[in-house]
């Protein structure tokens, strides 16, 4: 019968860690020493003696190996390391324990997992206890006398009470002499960060310095991130700029976080500088920082920059989240780029995101500001169907949009919803939009009733409301009420702004000639420069009209320059002052109040009047036809096609659009321009037809409609 010397368990079957970890080196070394001490018998043995000798020594060797393995396990457990500092080595802290061993239960009690679990429980108890030294000490007594530095790190790292954490830190400082005390402070600072307690973190930092503990990078990054979590970007910047003083060099994670902090603190140049460095050195940037960059570019009105950051983010493999999408949608709304907002929203939903309240709000603002009425109303209805509440700002955005484009029925539907919401009440902006709707529709009594309701609700009339009333009375040709409203504005201590004066000037274009003097007096009080230019027209004064008009345009805000110029030209046409009208049009072109009115290619010469008032459009047509005649007389070559672009459709407040008026005017002149069937708002003719017409009719007279 054969006997197998190696029938005892192998070393690798005893413990998977043997021979694989540095701590197992001692164990293997002891086994080798034991084996080396084994001495064979000095005299030959009989077969029976050999079997007995081998059996006895193999059993002895097996028992020794088991004993050494058990000792190694105990030694390994007692030397576990801090998982925060060396998380990568956690896989090496597990050893095999023979469940049949009589000491298995004892070994498990000394294992890393059990000890860590107990420390976490202690941390939870400390969070819920009274923040007193006595209560803290009573709980920590369970650790016994042999307290390890790692115990303090684990307990503090798992705590969430910033009131108790400093007492726990003090306890461990009194019990042990930490090799790196800064680690204990850093995990305590993390507790303050969890609680968003920056004041407490700063006090703890001061205590560190008093104890002679030098802060490290983790110290500063923890305080900086705490400041960010507290929405205190200026504080984050302050702590970041302290780092060099203590010999700390920020890592790329801290630098990336500071892009967000500097951006929020308003230091755009520093944020962009760090962002440029991040792109060059390929730092990892989180979505919070990207959102700040997009918001920062949006505030600076660099909307292409917003889109560039968004594209760069995707190239880097950072997936957009809802904050990114909502920030970008808000920026596109401010840019009045509703088509891009629509594209981003489509991408968002296709990536599996559902719109939030902020998403709907951004879309309503984007569509509302750009007067994309149908899209805005669709989003509004979808939002309400989703059970999300509107706020007063969103209701007012929709009402202002409806007021501007003449969506009367839709405006009243939104207004009724607002009143029945139970959470939103009309404010002065709400009433202003309603009065505008009534005013533009010529519904004087309704406008007056709304005005009275506003006053009864406790709102003082604003200049916007009074501007709408002036427009309402002007449309109804109630000049005396216009003058009365103007005087009311002065009595309220309000100063007429450029928009109010522009509205008053527009009313003059609808006022009978015999009453123009009343409004001219108002304008002279409101804005002497406008009043002076108007006097040139109403009283047909002589003088340097162009110079005074130029001075006027240079004095008003850009937003009303075109409206004022349009109204002045309309007034000239009404008063049959065609030379003055042409002079104003030329001045508008010179000052770039009007741009791109004409375009010329090899195939077509076009006149674009869709942004002009009726009088300005007719004046531009008159000048353009004269230019055509002059070119023909000079013998210069012209494109084979001529066109006039009046824009398509009509404003809901208008009885007839510019296209309809132009069509009627062209027929009166017997001009050979005909509406293009495939291009709404375009009137086209051939060069040959235009030549024939110009030769037969000469330069057309400008006829006021």
């Amino acid at each position: 019968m054969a006997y197998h010397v190696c029938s005892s368990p192998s070393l690798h079957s005893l413990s998977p860690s043997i021979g694989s970890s540095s701590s197992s080196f001692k164990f293997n070394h002891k086994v080798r020493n034991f084996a080396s001490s084994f001495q064979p018998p000095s005299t030959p043995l009989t077969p029976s003696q050999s079997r007995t000798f081998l059996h006895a020594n193999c059993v002895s060797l097996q028992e020794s190996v088991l004993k050494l393995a058990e000792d190694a396990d105990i030694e390994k457990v007692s030397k576990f390391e801090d998982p925060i500092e060396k998380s990568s080595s956690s896989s090496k802290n597990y050893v095999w324990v023979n469940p049949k061993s009589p000491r298995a239960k004892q070994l498990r009690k000394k294992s890393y997992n059990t000890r860590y679990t107990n420390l976490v429980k202690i941390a939870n108890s400390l969070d819920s206890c009274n923040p007193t030294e006595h209560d803290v000490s009573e709980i920590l007594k369970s650790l016994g006398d042999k307290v390890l530095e790692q115990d303090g790190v684990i307990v503090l790292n798992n705590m969430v009470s910033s009131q108790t954490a400093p007492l726990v830190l003090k306890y461990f400082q009194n019990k042990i002499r930490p090799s790196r005390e800064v680690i204990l402070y850093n995990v305590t600072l993390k507790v303050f960060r969890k609680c968003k307690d920056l004041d407490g973190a700063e006090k703890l930092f001061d205590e560190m310095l008093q104890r002679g503990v030098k802060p490290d990078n983790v110290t500063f990054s923890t305080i900086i991130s705490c400041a960010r979590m507290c929405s205190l970007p200026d504080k984050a910047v302050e702590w970041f700029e302290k780092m060099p003083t203590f010999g700390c060099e920020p890592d790329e994670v801290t630098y990336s976080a500071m892009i967000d902090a500097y951006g929020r603190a308003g230091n755009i140049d520093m944020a962009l500088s760090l962002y440029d460095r991040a792109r060059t050195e390929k730092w990892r940037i989180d979505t919070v920082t990207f959102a700040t960059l997009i918001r920062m570019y949006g505030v600076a009105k660099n909307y292409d920059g917003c889109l560039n950051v968004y594209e760069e983010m995707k190239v880097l493999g950072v997936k957009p989240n809802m904050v990114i999408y909502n920030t970008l949608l808000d920026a596109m709304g401010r840019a009045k780029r509703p088509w891009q907002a629509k594209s981003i929203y489509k991408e968002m939903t296709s990536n599996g995101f559902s719109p939030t309240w902020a998403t709907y709000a951004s879309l309503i603002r984007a569509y509302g500001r750009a007067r994309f009425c149908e899209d805005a109303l669709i989003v509004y209805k979808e939002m309400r169907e989703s059970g999300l509440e509107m706020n007063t700002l969103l209701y007012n955005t929709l009402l202002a949009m409806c007021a501007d484009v003449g969506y009367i029925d839709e405006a009243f539907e939104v207004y009724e919803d607002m009143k029945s919401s139970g959470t939103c009440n009309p404010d002065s902006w709400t009433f202003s939009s309603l009065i505008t709707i009534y005013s533009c529709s010529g519904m004087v009594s309704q406008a007056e009733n709304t005005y009275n309701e506003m006053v009864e609700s406790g709102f003082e009339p604003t200049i916007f409301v009074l501007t709408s009333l002036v427009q309402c009375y002007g449309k109804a040709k109630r000049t005396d009420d216009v003058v009365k409203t103007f005087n009311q504005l002065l009595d309220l201590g309000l100063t007429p702004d450029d928009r109010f004066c522009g509205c008053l000037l527009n009313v003059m274009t609808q006022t009978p000639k015999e009453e123009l003097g009343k409004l001219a007096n108002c304008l002279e009080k409101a804005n002497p420069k406008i009043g002076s230019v108007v006097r040139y027209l109403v009283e047909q004064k002589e003088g340097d009209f162009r110079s005074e008009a130029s001075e006027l345009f240079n004095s008003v805000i850009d937003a009303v320059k075109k409206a004022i110029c349009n109204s002045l030209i309309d007034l000239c046409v009404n008063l049959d002052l065609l030379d003055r009208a042409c002079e104003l049009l030329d001045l508008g072109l010179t000052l770039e109040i009007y741009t791109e009115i004409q375009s010329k290619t090899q195939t077509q010469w076009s006149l674009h009047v869709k942004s002009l008032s009726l009088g300005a459009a007719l004046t531009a047509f008159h000048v353009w036809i004269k230019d055509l005649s002059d070119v023909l007389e000079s013998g210069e070559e012209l494109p084979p096609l001529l066109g006039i672009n009046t824009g398509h459709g009509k404003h809901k407040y208008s009885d007839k659009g510019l296209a309809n008026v132009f069509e009627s005017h062209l027929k009166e002149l017997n001009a050979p321009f005909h509406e293009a069937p495939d291009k709404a708002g375009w009137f086209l003719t051939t060069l040959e037809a235009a030549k024939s017409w110009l030769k037969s009719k000469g330069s057309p007279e400008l006829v006021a409609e």
Side-chain angles (χ1 to χ4, degrees):
M1 182 176 178
Y3 290 89
H4 299 282
V5 176
C6 297
S7 60
S8 61
S10 69
L11 298 185
H12 290 289
S13 70
L14 288 173
S15 174
S17 68
I18 297 175
S20 62
S21 68
S22 59
S23 63
S24 300
F25 177 77
K26 284 185 181 179
F27 173 55
N28 289 335
H29 183 63
K30 290 178 182 178
V31 174
R32 284 196 297 272
N33 289 341
F34 180 86
S36 65
S37 66
F38 168 71
Q39 298 293 329
S42 58
T43 59
L45 300 176
T46 66
S48 174
Q49 289 173 324
S50 298
R51 287 194 295 270
T52 303
F53 178 83
L54 289 171
H55 176 72
N57 280 280
C58 283
V59 169
S60 176
L61 174 63
Q62 179 178 343
E63 289 174 350
S64 299
V65 168
L66 286 172
K67 181 67 170 66
L68 288 171
E70 185 179 272
D71 292 342
D73 287 341
I74 296 171
E75 181 182 22
K76 183 69 176 178
V77 168
S78 68
K79 294 177 68 175
F80 75 92
E81 303 209 3
D82 174 26
I84 300 162
E85 296 298 314
K86 296 191 177 181
S87 59
S88 61
S89 65
S90 60
S91 61
K92 299 178 183 178
N93 293 331
Y94 294 93
V95 294
W96 180 85
V97 176
N98 186 354
K100 295 181 180 179
S101 169
R103 300 185 63 188
K105 186 174 182 181
Q106 181 182 357
L107 288 172
R108 287 195 189 97
K109 286 182 179 179
K110 295 184 178 181
S111 71
Y112 172 81
N113 279 346
T114 301
R115 188 174 184 83
Y116 184 86
T117 302
N118 289 336
L119 291 172
V120 172
K121 289 179 179 178
I122 289 173
N124 294 335
S125 299
L126 290 166
D127 284 331
S128 57
C129 78
N130 291 323
T132 64
E133 289 188 9
H134 177 267
D135 285 11
V136 168
S137 297
E138 286 299 312
I139 294 172
L140 290 174
K141 278 182 182 178
S142 62
L143 292 175
D145 294 329
K146 295 182 178 180
V147 180
L148 303 175
E149 183 177 352
Q150 291 91 337
D151 296 341
V153 173
I154 293 171
V155 169
L156 285 165
N157 193 59
N158 284 278
M159 288 186 64
V160 294
S161 171
S162 61
Q163 290 182 308
T164 311
L167 300 175
V168 176
L169 171 64
K170 184 178 180 182
Y171 178 89
F172 283 110
Q173 287 172 326
N174 293 334
K175 283 287 183 181
I176 60 176
R177 289 184 178 180
S179 59
R180 288 196 65 201
E181 194 169 355
V182 68
I183 297 175
L184 286 174
Y185 274 107
N186 287 343
V187 289
T188 308
L189 285 170
K190 289 179 182 178
V191 180
F192 286 97
R193 182 177 64 185
K194 292 174 189 175
C195 300
K196 299 182 180 180
D197 183 359
L198 182 60
D199 290 338
E202 290 180 330
K203 289 177 183 177
L204 188 65
F205 181 84
D206 292 338
E207 180 189 312
M208 278 182 67
L209 300 183
Q210 290 171 6
R211 286 180 63 92
V213 179
K214 183 181 178 181
D216 60 11
N217 277 17
V218 176
T219 309
F220 283 101
S221 64
T222 304
I223 297 176
I224 289 169
S225 57
C226 179
R228 290 179 68 200
M229 291 175 66
C230 296
S231 298
L232 296 171
D234 291 316
K235 276 289 186 179
V237 169
E238 177 186 325
W239 280 97
F240 173 74
E241 293 177 351
K242 284 182 181 180
M243 293 183 73
T245 308
F246 293 89
C248 295
E249 179 66 28
D251 57 15
E252 65 178 54
V253 175
T254 304
Y255 272 127
S256 298
M258 291 312 300
I259 298 173
D260 170 66
Y262 275 113
R264 290 174 182 267
N267 192 337
I268 308 300
D269 292 338
M270 187 63 178
L272 293 179
S273 175
L274 285 175
Y275 180 53
D276 288 339
R277 184 175 169 188
R279 287 185 291 186
T280 303
E281 300 182 16
K282 303 187 184 315
W283 298 342
R284 183 175 180 82
I285 303 176
D286 59 19
T287 51
V288 174
T289 301
F290 276 117
T292 298
L293 284 165
I294 293 171
R295 190 180 301 111
M296 190 172 63
Y297 277 115
V299 170
K301 298 184 179 179
N302 184 352
Y303 303 113
D304 290 330
C306 297
L307 296 172
N308 290 339
V309 170
Y310 177 59
E311 293 302 325
E312 286 174 2
M313 180 187 72
K314 292 192 290 184
V315 169
L316 292 171
V318 180
K319 294 184 178 179
N321 57 15
M322 284 305 300
V323 175
I324 292 289
Y325 283 123
N326 289 338
T327 304
L328 200 56
L329 287 171
D330 182 67
M332 293 304 101
R334 294 177 187 278
K336 294 187 178 179
R337 298 182 183 181
W339 60 92
Q340 286 179 324
K342 189 180 292 189
S343 174
I344 293 164
Y345 178 69
K346 185 177 180 180
E347 180 182 327
M348 184 197 86
T349 53
S350 64
N351 285 337
F353 290 97
S354 298
T356 62
W357 186 93
T359 310
Y360 285 124
S362 295
L363 287 172
I364 287 176
R365 288 194 293 266
Y367 295 145
R369 287 168 180 161
R371 304 311 183 232
F372 271 43
C373 305
E374 298 298 334
D375 293 297
L377 292 171
I378 288 172
V379 172
Y380 158 66
K381 290 176 182 177
E382 185 179 330
M383 186 176 182
R384 300 299 286 141
E385 289 169 1
S386 300
L388 298 174
E389 291 186 354
M390 299 274 288
N391 62 20
T392 303
L393 177 63
L394 294 180
Y395 277 122
N396 284 339
T397 299
L398 290 171
L399 287 171
M401 175 194 73
C402 292
D404 279 354
V405 298
Y407 274 47
I408 301 173
D409 295 338
E410 292 83 352
F412 292 138
E413 181 183 337
V414 170
Y415 179 57
E416 289 302 321
D417 181 37
M418 181 184 190
K419 290 197 297 183
S420 62
S421 67
T423 57
C424 301
N425 295 315
D427 59 14
S428 59
W429 188 14
T430 311
F431 288 114
S432 177
S433 295
L434 291 173
I435 292 170
T436 299
I437 292 171
Y438 288 129
S439 299
C440 294
S441 304
M443 304 166 72
V444 180
S445 60
Q446 291 89 334
E448 290 177 331
N449 291 338
T450 305
Y451 173 80
N452 292 333
E453 182 184 350
M454 181 193 75
V455 174
E456 290 170 2
S457 299
F459 295 105
E460 286 286 333
T462 64
I463 194 166
F464 303 107
V465 170
L466 297 175
T467 300
S468 295
L469 279 179
V470 164
Q471 185 179 27
C472 180
Y473 290 132
K475 194 175 183 71
K477 293 182 170 44
R478 290 170 52 171
T479 308
D480 290 339
D481 286 321
V482 172
V483 175
K484 178 182 175 182
T485 304
F486 173 74
N487 291 330
Q488 182 183 1
L489 179 143
L490 297 180
D491 292 341
L492 289 169
L494 299 174
T495 301
D497 60 8
D498 291 341
R499 287 185 174 85
F500 181 87
C501 294
C503 177
L504 202 56
L505 184 59
N506 180 260
V507 167
M508 290 190 72
T509 66
Q510 309 167 54
T511 302
K513 291 182 181 180
E514 59 272 15
E515 294 187 326
L516 287 176
K518 297 177 182 178
L519 300 183
N521 291 332
C522 294
L523 270 173
E524 205 156 29
K525 293 178 183 178
N527 187 319
K529 290 182 180 178
I530 297 180
S532 177
V533 172
V534 167
R535 290 289 182 191
Y536 271 97
L537 305 180
V538 174
E539 300 175 3
Q540 299 187 19
K541 285 172 54 179
E542 295 294 330
D544 194 352
F545 173 75
R546 185 182 180 93
S547 177
E548 292 208 29
S550 178
E551 187 179 344
L552 163 63
F553 291 129
N554 289 328
S555 69
V556 297
I557 60 174
D558 291 340
V560 301
K561 285 181 180 179
K562 184 180 289 186
I564 289 177
C565 197
N566 278 342
S567 294
L568 287 172
I569 295 175
D570 286 349
L571 189 58
C572 289
V573 172
N574 291 345
L575 297 173
D576 201 24
L577 301 173
L578 306 186
D579 290 340
R580 292 289 196 209
C582 293
E583 194 172 0
L584 284 167
L585 179 66
D586 181 65
L587 182 59
L589 292 168
T590 302
L591 297 176
E592 296 185 347
I593 296 171
Y594 300 124
T595 57
E596 300 178 352
I597 285 183
Q598 292 190 37
S599 64
K600 187 185 292 186
T601 66
Q602 292 183 343
T603 58
Q604 184 172 328
W605 189 359
S606 303
L607 173 68
H608 303 276
V609 297
K610 59 183 179 181
S611 66
L612 306 182
S613 63
L614 177 56
L618 293 173
T619 303
F621 173 70
H622 172 80
V623 172
W624 184 58
I625 292 298
K626 187 176 183 302
D627 289 344
L628 286 175
S629 300
D630 293 342
V631 171
L632 287 173
E633 288 179 8
S634 68
E636 185 180 337
E637 289 293 327
L638 286 174
L641 196 62
L642 304 174
I644 304 169
N645 179 14
T646 64
H648 64 279
K650 66 177 184 179
H651 198 286
K652 286 198 173 186
Y653 290 135
S654 176
D655 296 329
K656 49 188 177 180
L658 188 58
N660 292 334
V661 174
F662 242 83
E663 183 178 23
S664 175
H665 186 63
L666 291 170
K667 285 180 180 178
E668 289 180 9
L669 297 174
N670 200 27
F673 289 88
H674 302 285
E675 190 167 9
D678 58 339
K679 297 174 71 175
W682 274 91
F683 296 88
L684 302 174
T685 189
T686 63
L687 177 59
E688 293 304 318
K691 282 181 181 179
S692 176
W693 173 64
L694 289 172
K695 286 179 181 178
S696 64
K697 302 296 289 185
S699 182
E701 292 296 325
L702 184 61
V703 180
E705 295 294 322

